[in-house]
Amino acid sequence: MSAETSDLTKVDSAISGLSSSPTEEKKIGHRRASSSAAGVYNINDLEKEGKELQIAKETQKLNWKLNTSPGTLDDKEALKKFLTTPPVKKIDLHFPLGLEVTARNLKGVTIKDALDAIHKQFKKKADDELELPVLAGFEWDKEESWTRLIVHQKKEGAPAGGGKKKNKKETSDD
């Protein structure tokens, strides 16, 4: 009989375990909340508040070919930086010919997130299929659209050690 009583105790503990199940749901809910880091904004909220975006200048110096993996870039530190200040959860990247890709990261969209989103669209393209295969940088035009960045491209990247980068950057500002 004592064996049955211990079984009952186990059943009772299982039932009390069920009552703790909502706390597990709370943990899940809490986990979701923490996946969105503090200080990371929804772009639509920024538009309502009228907060301006600044784009990381590092994007202009990458000389990254759109059809190559962002992992091949030498400047690994630049990839970790936020694409915009203040950081946003998602942003649309608009190409002049009409293509639009969305970069998302609940902890704040980094330069790597943006490059990954672009790479996903162009990874199957051969070099000669791309008219402007190199990323020149991004532009934010709040008059046109608050929630997206315009992607600028160029024919070819400057040599890795060359001083041409500044000239390329100045010519890409339209």
Side-chain angles (χ1 to χ4, degrees), residues 126-151:
D127 287 353
D128 57 353
E129 286 182 73
L130 296 169
E131 195 177 314
L132 300 168
V134 177
L135 178 73
F138 299 99
E139 175 192 356
W140 180 62
D141 185 1
K142 66 180 178 185
E143 305 302 320
E144 188 179 318
S145 173
W146 197 284
T147 60
R148 73 181 181 203
L149 299 180
I150 301 159
V151 180

PDB file of all heavy atoms in Angstrom, residues 126-151:
ATOM      1  N   ALA A 126      26.112  35.293 -61.986  1.00  0.00           N
ATOM      2  CA  ALA A 126      27.528  35.327 -62.372  1.00  0.00           C
ATOM      3  C   ALA A 126      27.980  36.789 -62.422  1.00  0.00           C
ATOM      4  O   ALA A 126      27.160  37.703 -62.551  1.00  0.00           O
ATOM      5  CB  ALA A 126      27.716  34.686 -63.734  1.00  0.00           C
ATOM      6  N   ASP A 127      29.301  36.997 -62.314  1.00  0.00           N
ATOM      7  CA  ASP A 127      29.836  38.361 -62.309  1.00  0.00           C
ATOM      8  C   ASP A 127      29.386  39.166 -63.532  1.00  0.00           C
ATOM      9  O   ASP A 127      29.047  40.338 -63.425  1.00  0.00           O
ATOM     10  CB  ASP A 127      31.373  38.339 -62.255  1.00  0.00           C
ATOM     11  CG  ASP A 127      31.882  37.936 -60.880  1.00  0.00           C
ATOM     12  OD1 ASP A 127      31.051  37.805 -59.963  1.00  0.00           O
ATOM     13  OD2 ASP A 127      33.101  37.748 -60.739  1.00  0.00           O
ATOM     14  N   ASP A 128      29.392  38.523 -64.698  1.00  0.00           N
ATOM     15  CA  ASP A 128      29.060  39.258 -65.920  1.00  0.00           C
ATOM     16  C   ASP A 128      27.554  39.543 -66.043  1.00  0.00           C
ATOM     17  O   ASP A 128      27.142  40.345 -66.869  1.00  0.00           O
ATOM     18  CB  ASP A 128      29.575  38.527 -67.163  1.00  0.00           C
ATOM     19  CG  ASP A 128      29.044  37.107 -67.269  1.00  0.00           C
ATOM     20  OD1 ASP A 128      28.380  36.650 -66.318  1.00  0.00           O
ATOM     21  OD2 ASP A 128      29.298  36.461 -68.300  1.00  0.00           O
ATOM     22  N   GLU A 129      26.730  38.902 -65.218  1.00  0.00           N
ATOM     23  CA  GLU A 129      25.293  39.178 -65.240  1.00  0.00           C
ATOM     24  C   GLU A 129      24.958  40.467 -64.497  1.00  0.00           C
ATOM     25  O   GLU A 129      23.911  41.055 -64.718  1.00  0.00           O
ATOM     26  CB  GLU A 129      24.514  38.040 -64.572  1.00  0.00           C
ATOM     27  CG  GLU A 129      24.425  36.771 -65.387  1.00  0.00           C
ATOM     28  CD  GLU A 129      23.599  35.717 -64.655  1.00  0.00           C
ATOM     29  OE1 GLU A 129      22.366  35.872 -64.598  1.00  0.00           O
ATOM     30  OE2 GLU A 129      24.204  34.775 -64.128  1.00  0.00           O
ATOM     31  N   LEU A 130      25.842  40.877 -63.603  1.00  0.00           N
ATOM     32  CA  LEU A 130      25.582  42.069 -62.798  1.00  0.00           C
ATOM     33  C   LEU A 130      26.206  43.284 -63.453  1.00  0.00           C
ATOM     34  O   LEU A 130      27.407  43.331 -63.686  1.00  0.00           O
ATOM     35  CB  LEU A 130      26.162  41.877 -61.386  1.00  0.00           C
ATOM     36  CG  LEU A 130      25.546  40.753 -60.561  1.00  0.00           C
ATOM     37  CD1 LEU A 130      26.372  40.491 -59.313  1.00  0.00           C
ATOM     38  CD2 LEU A 130      24.117  41.082 -60.183  1.00  0.00           C
ATOM     39  N   GLU A 131      25.373  44.278 -63.729  1.00  0.00           N
ATOM     40  CA  GLU A 131      25.877  45.496 -64.357  1.00  0.00           C
ATOM     41  C   GLU A 131      26.745  46.289 -63.368  1.00  0.00           C
ATOM     42  O   GLU A 131      27.821  46.764 -63.709  1.00  0.00           O
ATOM     43  CB  GLU A 131      24.693  46.348 -64.815  1.00  0.00           C
ATOM     44  CG  GLU A 131      25.070  47.437 -65.770  1.00  0.00           C
ATOM     45  CD  GLU A 131      23.845  48.205 -66.240  1.00  0.00           C
ATOM     46  OE1 GLU A 131      22.840  47.569 -66.594  1.00  0.00           O
ATOM     47  OE2 GLU A 131      23.916  49.442 -66.240  1.00  0.00           O
ATOM     48  N   LEU A 132      26.271  46.409 -62.145  1.00  0.00           N
ATOM     49  CA  LEU A 132      27.013  47.102 -61.082  1.00  0.00           C
ATOM     50  C   LEU A 132      27.174  46.121 -59.920  1.00  0.00           C
ATOM     51  O   LEU A 132      26.340  46.102 -59.017  1.00  0.00           O
ATOM     52  CB  LEU A 132      26.243  48.358 -60.624  1.00  0.00           C
ATOM     53  CG  LEU A 132      25.970  49.412 -61.708  1.00  0.00           C
ATOM     54  CD1 LEU A 132      24.968  50.433 -61.230  1.00  0.00           C
ATOM     55  CD2 LEU A 132      27.272  50.079 -62.112  1.00  0.00           C
ATOM     56  N   PRO A 133      28.240  45.317 -59.938  1.00  0.00           N
ATOM     57  CA  PRO A 133      28.328  44.207 -58.987  1.00  0.00           C
ATOM     58  C   PRO A 133      28.857  44.550 -57.598  1.00  0.00           C
ATOM     59  O   PRO A 133      28.862  43.697 -56.732  1.00  0.00           O
ATOM     60  CB  PRO A 133      29.305  43.255 -59.685  1.00  0.00           C
ATOM     61  CG  PRO A 133      30.178  44.146 -60.486  1.00  0.00           C
ATOM     62  CD  PRO A 133      29.320  45.304 -60.909  1.00  0.00           C
ATOM     63  N   VAL A 134      29.274  45.803 -57.361  1.00  0.00           N
ATOM     64  CA  VAL A 134      29.926  46.131 -56.092  1.00  0.00           C
ATOM     65  C   VAL A 134      29.071  47.117 -55.299  1.00  0.00           C
ATOM     66  O   VAL A 134      28.539  48.088 -55.850  1.00  0.00           O
ATOM     67  CB  VAL A 134      31.339  46.718 -56.333  1.00  0.00           C
ATOM     68  CG1 VAL A 134      31.999  47.119 -55.026  1.00  0.00           C
ATOM     69  CG2 VAL A 134      32.197  45.711 -57.073  1.00  0.00           C
ATOM     70  N   LEU A 135      28.945  46.868 -53.994  1.00  0.00           N
ATOM     71  CA  LEU A 135      28.192  47.757 -53.117  1.00  0.00           C
ATOM     72  C   LEU A 135      28.967  49.056 -52.914  1.00  0.00           C
ATOM     73  O   LEU A 135      30.131  49.043 -52.520  1.00  0.00           O
ATOM     74  CB  LEU A 135      27.974  47.078 -51.755  1.00  0.00           C
ATOM     75  CG  LEU A 135      27.235  47.902 -50.707  1.00  0.00           C
ATOM     76  CD1 LEU A 135      25.752  47.994 -51.060  1.00  0.00           C
ATOM     77  CD2 LEU A 135      27.406  47.293 -49.332  1.00  0.00           C
ATOM     78  N   ALA A 136      28.307  50.181 -53.187  1.00  0.00           N
ATOM     79  CA  ALA A 136      28.951  51.480 -52.971  1.00  0.00           C
ATOM     80  C   ALA A 136      28.532  52.067 -51.626  1.00  0.00           C
ATOM     81  O   ALA A 136      29.250  52.865 -51.041  1.00  0.00           O
ATOM     82  CB  ALA A 136      28.579  52.436 -54.101  1.00  0.00           C
ATOM     83  N   GLY A 137      27.369  51.659 -51.132  1.00  0.00           N
ATOM     84  CA  GLY A 137      26.894  52.166 -49.849  1.00  0.00           C
ATOM     85  C   GLY A 137      25.382  52.256 -49.841  1.00  0.00           C
ATOM     86  O   GLY A 137      24.711  51.833 -50.786  1.00  0.00           O
ATOM     87  N   PHE A 138      24.856  52.800 -48.751  1.00  0.00           N
ATOM     88  CA  PHE A 138      23.415  52.954 -48.617  1.00  0.00           C
ATOM     89  C   PHE A 138      23.095  54.431 -48.425  1.00  0.00           C
ATOM     90  O   PHE A 138      23.908  55.201 -47.927  1.00  0.00           O
ATOM     91  CB  PHE A 138      22.905  52.185 -47.386  1.00  0.00           C
ATOM     92  CG  PHE A 138      23.152  50.709 -47.449  1.00  0.00           C
ATOM     93  CD1 PHE A 138      24.231  50.141 -46.794  1.00  0.00           C
ATOM     94  CD2 PHE A 138      22.302  49.880 -48.163  1.00  0.00           C
ATOM     95  CE1 PHE A 138      24.463  48.783 -46.840  1.00  0.00           C
ATOM     96  CE2 PHE A 138      22.523  48.510 -48.220  1.00  0.00           C
ATOM     97  CZ  PHE A 138      23.604  47.969 -47.553  1.00  0.00           C
ATOM     98  N   GLU A 139      21.878  54.803 -48.824  1.00  0.00           N
ATOM     99  CA  GLU A 139      21.424  56.183 -48.645  1.00  0.00           C
ATOM    100  C   GLU A 139      20.041  56.144 -48.022  1.00  0.00           C
ATOM    101  O   GLU A 139      19.192  55.338 -48.398  1.00  0.00           O
ATOM    102  CB  GLU A 139      21.362  56.878 -50.011  1.00  0.00           C
ATOM    103  CG  GLU A 139      20.785  58.271 -49.953  1.00  0.00           C
ATOM    104  CD  GLU A 139      20.472  58.834 -51.337  1.00  0.00           C
ATOM    105  OE1 GLU A 139      20.759  58.179 -52.344  1.00  0.00           O
ATOM    106  OE2 GLU A 139      19.910  59.937 -51.383  1.00  0.00           O
ATOM    107  N   TRP A 140      19.823  57.022 -47.046  1.00  0.00           N
ATOM    108  CA  TRP A 140      18.501  57.129 -46.428  1.00  0.00           C
ATOM    109  C   TRP A 140      17.880  58.427 -46.879  1.00  0.00           C
ATOM    110  O   TRP A 140      18.417  59.505 -46.622  1.00  0.00           O
ATOM    111  CB  TRP A 140      18.636  57.085 -44.910  1.00  0.00           C
ATOM    112  CG  TRP A 140      17.327  57.194 -44.197  1.00  0.00           C
ATOM    113  CD1 TRP A 140      16.282  56.321 -44.286  1.00  0.00           C
ATOM    114  CD2 TRP A 140      16.918  58.218 -43.296  1.00  0.00           C
ATOM    115  NE1 TRP A 140      15.256  56.741 -43.481  1.00  0.00           N
ATOM    116  CE2 TRP A 140      15.616  57.905 -42.858  1.00  0.00           C
ATOM    117  CE3 TRP A 140      17.520  59.359 -42.806  1.00  0.00           C
ATOM    118  CZ2 TRP A 140      14.912  58.692 -41.961  1.00  0.00           C
ATOM    119  CZ3 TRP A 140      16.820  60.149 -41.908  1.00  0.00           C
ATOM    120  CH2 TRP A 140      15.532  59.813 -41.498  1.00  0.00           C
ATOM    121  N   ASP A 141      16.766  58.336 -47.607  1.00  0.00           N
ATOM    122  CA  ASP A 141      16.072  59.520 -48.090  1.00  0.00           C
ATOM    123  C   ASP A 141      14.709  59.581 -47.416  1.00  0.00           C
ATOM    124  O   ASP A 141      13.764  58.920 -47.848  1.00  0.00           O
ATOM    125  CB  ASP A 141      15.926  59.456 -49.610  1.00  0.00           C
ATOM    126  CG  ASP A 141      15.311  60.716 -50.189  1.00  0.00           C
ATOM    127  OD1 ASP A 141      15.017  61.647 -49.414  1.00  0.00           O
ATOM    128  OD2 ASP A 141      15.123  60.772 -51.424  1.00  0.00           O
ATOM    129  N   LYS A 142      14.634  60.348 -46.334  1.00  0.00           N
ATOM    130  CA  LYS A 142      13.387  60.371 -45.556  1.00  0.00           C
ATOM    131  C   LYS A 142      12.237  60.972 -46.350  1.00  0.00           C
ATOM    132  O   LYS A 142      11.080  60.698 -46.059  1.00  0.00           O
ATOM    133  CB  LYS A 142      13.581  61.095 -44.233  1.00  0.00           C
ATOM    134  CG  LYS A 142      13.885  62.563 -44.353  1.00  0.00           C
ATOM    135  CD  LYS A 142      14.059  63.171 -42.982  1.00  0.00           C
ATOM    136  CE  LYS A 142      14.416  64.637 -43.100  1.00  0.00           C
ATOM    137  NZ  LYS A 142      14.699  65.239 -41.832  1.00  0.00           N
ATOM    138  N   GLU A 143      12.533  61.771 -47.363  1.00  0.00           N
ATOM    139  CA  GLU A 143      11.461  62.350 -48.179  1.00  0.00           C
ATOM    140  C   GLU A 143      10.785  61.258 -49.009  1.00  0.00           C
ATOM    141  O   GLU A 143       9.579  61.249 -49.170  1.00  0.00           O
ATOM    142  CB  GLU A 143      12.018  63.429 -49.128  1.00  0.00           C
ATOM    143  CG  GLU A 143      12.800  64.537 -48.450  1.00  0.00           C
ATOM    144  CD  GLU A 143      11.979  65.271 -47.396  1.00  0.00           C
ATOM    145  OE1 GLU A 143      10.794  65.526 -47.624  1.00  0.00           O
ATOM    146  OE2 GLU A 143      12.547  65.580 -46.325  1.00  0.00           O
ATOM    147  N   GLU A 144      11.582  60.327 -49.526  1.00  0.00           N
ATOM    148  CA  GLU A 144      11.033  59.263 -50.373  1.00  0.00           C
ATOM    149  C   GLU A 144      10.356  58.188 -49.524  1.00  0.00           C
ATOM    150  O   GLU A 144       9.199  57.855 -49.729  1.00  0.00           O
ATOM    151  CB  GLU A 144      12.146  58.643 -51.223  1.00  0.00           C
ATOM    152  CG  GLU A 144      11.602  57.675 -52.256  1.00  0.00           C
ATOM    153  CD  GLU A 144      12.712  57.090 -53.116  1.00  0.00           C
ATOM    154  OE1 GLU A 144      13.611  57.837 -53.517  1.00  0.00           O
ATOM    155  OE2 GLU A 144      12.650  55.886 -53.362  1.00  0.00           O
ATOM    156  N   SER A 145      11.100  57.619 -48.580  1.00  0.00           N
ATOM    157  CA  SER A 145      10.530  56.603 -47.700  1.00  0.00           C
ATOM    158  C   SER A 145      11.358  56.541 -46.426  1.00  0.00           C
ATOM    159  O   SER A 145      12.567  56.337 -46.481  1.00  0.00           O
ATOM    160  CB  SER A 145      10.522  55.234 -48.382  1.00  0.00           C
ATOM    161  OG  SER A 145      10.123  54.251 -47.457  1.00  0.00           O
ATOM    162  N   TRP A 146      10.670  56.687 -45.302  1.00  0.00           N
ATOM    163  CA  TRP A 146      11.347  56.694 -44.006  1.00  0.00           C
ATOM    164  C   TRP A 146      11.877  55.311 -43.671  1.00  0.00           C
ATOM    165  O   TRP A 146      12.878  55.159 -42.986  1.00  0.00           O
ATOM    166  CB  TRP A 146      10.365  57.158 -42.935  1.00  0.00           C
ATOM    167  CG  TRP A 146      11.017  57.584 -41.668  1.00  0.00           C
ATOM    168  CD1 TRP A 146      11.544  56.766 -40.714  1.00  0.00           C
ATOM    169  CD2 TRP A 146      11.248  58.912 -41.218  1.00  0.00           C
ATOM    170  NE1 TRP A 146      12.073  57.502 -39.689  1.00  0.00           N
ATOM    171  CE2 TRP A 146      11.902  58.832 -39.973  1.00  0.00           C
ATOM    172  CE3 TRP A 146      10.958  60.162 -41.731  1.00  0.00           C
ATOM    173  CZ2 TRP A 146      12.267  59.950 -39.248  1.00  0.00           C
ATOM    174  CZ3 TRP A 146      11.314  61.273 -41.003  1.00  0.00           C
ATOM    175  CH2 TRP A 146      11.976  61.164 -39.774  1.00  0.00           C
ATOM    176  N   THR A 147      11.179  54.290 -44.147  1.00  0.00           N
ATOM    177  CA  THR A 147      11.443  52.930 -43.667  1.00  0.00           C
ATOM    178  C   THR A 147      12.391  52.133 -44.557  1.00  0.00           C
ATOM    179  O   THR A 147      12.532  50.933 -44.365  1.00  0.00           O
ATOM    180  CB  THR A 147      10.125  52.143 -43.549  1.00  0.00           C
ATOM    181  OG1 THR A 147       9.510  52.089 -44.845  1.00  0.00           O
ATOM    182  CG2 THR A 147       9.180  52.820 -42.576  1.00  0.00           C
ATOM    183  N   ARG A 148      12.996  52.761 -45.539  1.00  0.00           N
ATOM    184  CA  ARG A 148      13.915  51.981 -46.373  1.00  0.00           C
ATOM    185  C   ARG A 148      15.159  52.764 -46.753  1.00  0.00           C
ATOM    186  O   ARG A 148      15.167  53.993 -46.759  1.00  0.00           O
ATOM    187  CB  ARG A 148      13.210  51.450 -47.619  1.00  0.00           C
ATOM    188  CG  ARG A 148      12.906  52.471 -48.668  1.00  0.00           C
ATOM    189  CD  ARG A 148      12.197  51.813 -49.834  1.00  0.00           C
ATOM    190  NE  ARG A 148      11.938  52.804 -50.856  1.00  0.00           N
ATOM    191  CZ  ARG A 148      10.999  52.681 -51.761  1.00  0.00           C
ATOM    192  NH1 ARG A 148      10.242  51.632 -51.786  1.00  0.00           N
ATOM    193  NH2 ARG A 148      10.831  53.628 -52.660  1.00  0.00           N
ATOM    194  N   LEU A 149      16.191  51.997 -47.047  1.00  0.00           N
ATOM    195  CA  LEU A 149      17.456  52.573 -47.493  1.00  0.00           C
ATOM    196  C   LEU A 149      17.605  52.302 -48.982  1.00  0.00           C
ATOM    197  O   LEU A 149      17.215  51.239 -49.469  1.00  0.00           O
ATOM    198  CB  LEU A 149      18.624  51.925 -46.746  1.00  0.00           C
ATOM    199  CG  LEU A 149      18.652  52.071 -45.230  1.00  0.00           C
ATOM    200  CD1 LEU A 149      19.869  51.368 -44.656  1.00  0.00           C
ATOM    201  CD2 LEU A 149      18.644  53.526 -44.814  1.00  0.00           C
ATOM    202  N   ILE A 150      18.193  53.234 -49.686  1.00  0.00           N
ATOM    203  CA  ILE A 150      18.477  53.036 -51.108  1.00  0.00           C
ATOM    204  C   ILE A 150      19.874  52.449 -51.213  1.00  0.00           C
ATOM    205  O   ILE A 150      20.820  52.943 -50.600  1.00  0.00           O
ATOM    206  CB  ILE A 150      18.385  54.376 -51.873  1.00  0.00           C
ATOM    207  CG1 ILE A 150      16.972  54.958 -51.710  1.00  0.00           C
ATOM    208  CG2 ILE A 150      18.739  54.194 -53.334  1.00  0.00           C
ATOM    209  CD1 ILE A 150      16.877  56.432 -51.968  1.00  0.00           C
ATOM    210  N   VAL A 151      19.994  51.381 -51.985  1.00  0.00           N
ATOM    211  CA  VAL A 151      21.283  50.702 -52.158  1.00  0.00           C
ATOM    212  C   VAL A 151      21.986  51.314 -53.362  1.00  0.00           C
ATOM    213  O   VAL A 151      21.404  51.405 -54.448  1.00  0.00           O
ATOM    214  CB  VAL A 151      21.079  49.190 -52.390  1.00  0.00           C
ATOM    215  CG1 VAL A 151      22.412  48.490 -52.575  1.00  0.00           C
ATOM    216  CG2 VAL A 151      20.314  48.573 -51.231  1.00  0.00           C
TER     217      VAL A 151
END
